[in-house]
């Protein structure tokens, strides 16, 4: 699993928006409710990514989301040398015929290491889009029906309906209504 450790050496634990702040939607939806609205929302939430990875691991397709996340991170890479290094890590981990976590994308057989010599931020975009669509139309819908998702949703609902949560909400409303 050397590929994974290489991969995680450049992958930050959370996804950030263009300003470098942790991503968050301006909607009031949280957790599983937000995840259920779109794969994009799921992938913006570090907890959602964690649960989705857990699910994909059971389906033996975790490399798809790891590749997608690596491409997102790659787009933010500055400097030709860093881009070359990260591009090579992505290629060796996910795209080469000897990759430890190979993803299945169209046109893969035509990919060669020569693409790594002139890296640019969107060099993996087409492949990333293919993997996104594969996840969106295949594993994402199964994820929403999975025990991992449903159990997380149930525990969220229990937390929201717990006496402590209701008391805190009542206290907050009393504070704001004074």
């Amino acid at each position: 699993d050397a590929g994974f450790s290489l991969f995680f050496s450049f992958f930050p634990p959370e996804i950030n928006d263009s300003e470098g702040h942790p991503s968050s939607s301006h909607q009031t939806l949280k957790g599983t409710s937000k995840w259920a609205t779109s794969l994009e929302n799921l992938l913006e939430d570090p907890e959602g990514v964690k649960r989705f990875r857990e699910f994909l691991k059971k389906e033996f397709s975790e490399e798809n989301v790891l590749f997608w996340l690596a491409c997102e991170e790659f787009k933010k890479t500055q400097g030709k040398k860093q881009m070359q290094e990260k591009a090579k890590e992505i290629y060796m981990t996910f795209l080469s015929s000897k990759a430890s976590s190979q993803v299945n994308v169209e046109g893969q057989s035509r990919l060669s290491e020569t693409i790594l010599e002139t890296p640019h931020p969107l060099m993996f975009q087409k492949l990333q889009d293919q993997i996104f669509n594969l996840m969106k139309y295949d594993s994402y819908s199964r994820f929403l029906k999975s025990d991992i998702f449903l159990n997380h949703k149930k525990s969220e609902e229990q937390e929201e309906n717990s006496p402590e949560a209701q008391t805190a909400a009542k206290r907050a409303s009393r504070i704001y209504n004074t």
Side-chain angles (χ1 to χ4, degrees):
D1 255 349
F4 277 125
S5 56
L6 265 178
F7 170 64
F8 286 110
S9 65
F10 73 84
F11 181 67
E14 64 178 302
I15 300 171
N16 294 318
D17 65 17
S18 57
E19 274 91 25
H21 305 295
S23 291
S24 64
S25 172
H26 297 295
Q27 300 170 0
T28 53
L29 290 176
K30 293 196 311 258
T32 53
S33 305
K34 190 174 163 198
W35 305 348
T37 57
S38 73
L39 179 55
E40 290 87 343
N41 282 342
L42 172 68
L43 293 171
E44 279 180 5
D45 183 343
E47 182 66 23
V49 169
K50 182 178 158 189
R51 301 294 173 176
F52 192 46
R53 281 183 56 190
E54 206 177 304
F55 170 74
L56 291 175
K57 199 177 278 185
K58 288 183 173 183
E59 289 210 332
F60 303 101
S61 61
E62 185 187 21
E63 69 280 355
N64 290 336
V65 74
L66 294 177
F67 172 70
W68 188 89
L69 292 165
C71 292
E72 282 299 286
E73 201 48 45
F74 177 75
K75 290 176 196 173
K76 300 173 194 165
T77 304
Q78 305 287 309
K80 189 176 177 184
K81 190 168 173 27
Q82 285 91 325
M83 285 185 90
Q84 281 176 323
E85 286 170 14
K86 285 188 181 186
K88 186 172 182 175
E89 285 179 31
I90 289 173
Y91 180 81
M92 299 310 278
T93 306
F94 301 105
L95 300 168
S96 115
S97 57
K98 301 180 211 72
S100 55
S101 302
Q102 192 177 31
V103 291
N104 186 12
V105 286
E106 228 173 275
Q108 197 157 14
S109 58
R110 293 191 298 274
L111 277 180
S112 73
E113 290 189 45
T114 55
I115 64 161
L116 305 176
E117 291 161 18
T118 53
H120 58 89
L122 301 177
M123 66 188 282
F124 297 117
Q125 189 65 53
K126 278 185 178 160
L127 303 177
Q128 185 187 11
D129 290 345
Q130 280 184 44
I131 290 299
F132 180 84
N133 286 328
L134 178 71
M135 292 189 300
K136 184 173 185 170
Y137 298 110
D138 185 39
S139 39
Y140 173 64
S141 53
R142 284 197 307 281
F143 170 70
L144 295 179
K145 297 174 193 143
S146 72
D147 287 347
I148 291 172
F149 176 81
L150 296 172
N151 290 340
H152 192 73
K153 184 178 181 178
K154 195 183 294 179
S155 68
E156 268 183 0
E157 287 164 357
Q158 284 168 347
E159 278 175 31
E160 284 171 18
N161 296 327
S162 73
E164 296 83 30
Q166 289 174 351
T167 311
K170 283 178 187 164
R171 272 200 308 272
S173 69
R174 276 201 305 272
I175 293 166
Y176 293 113
N177 289 335
T178 55

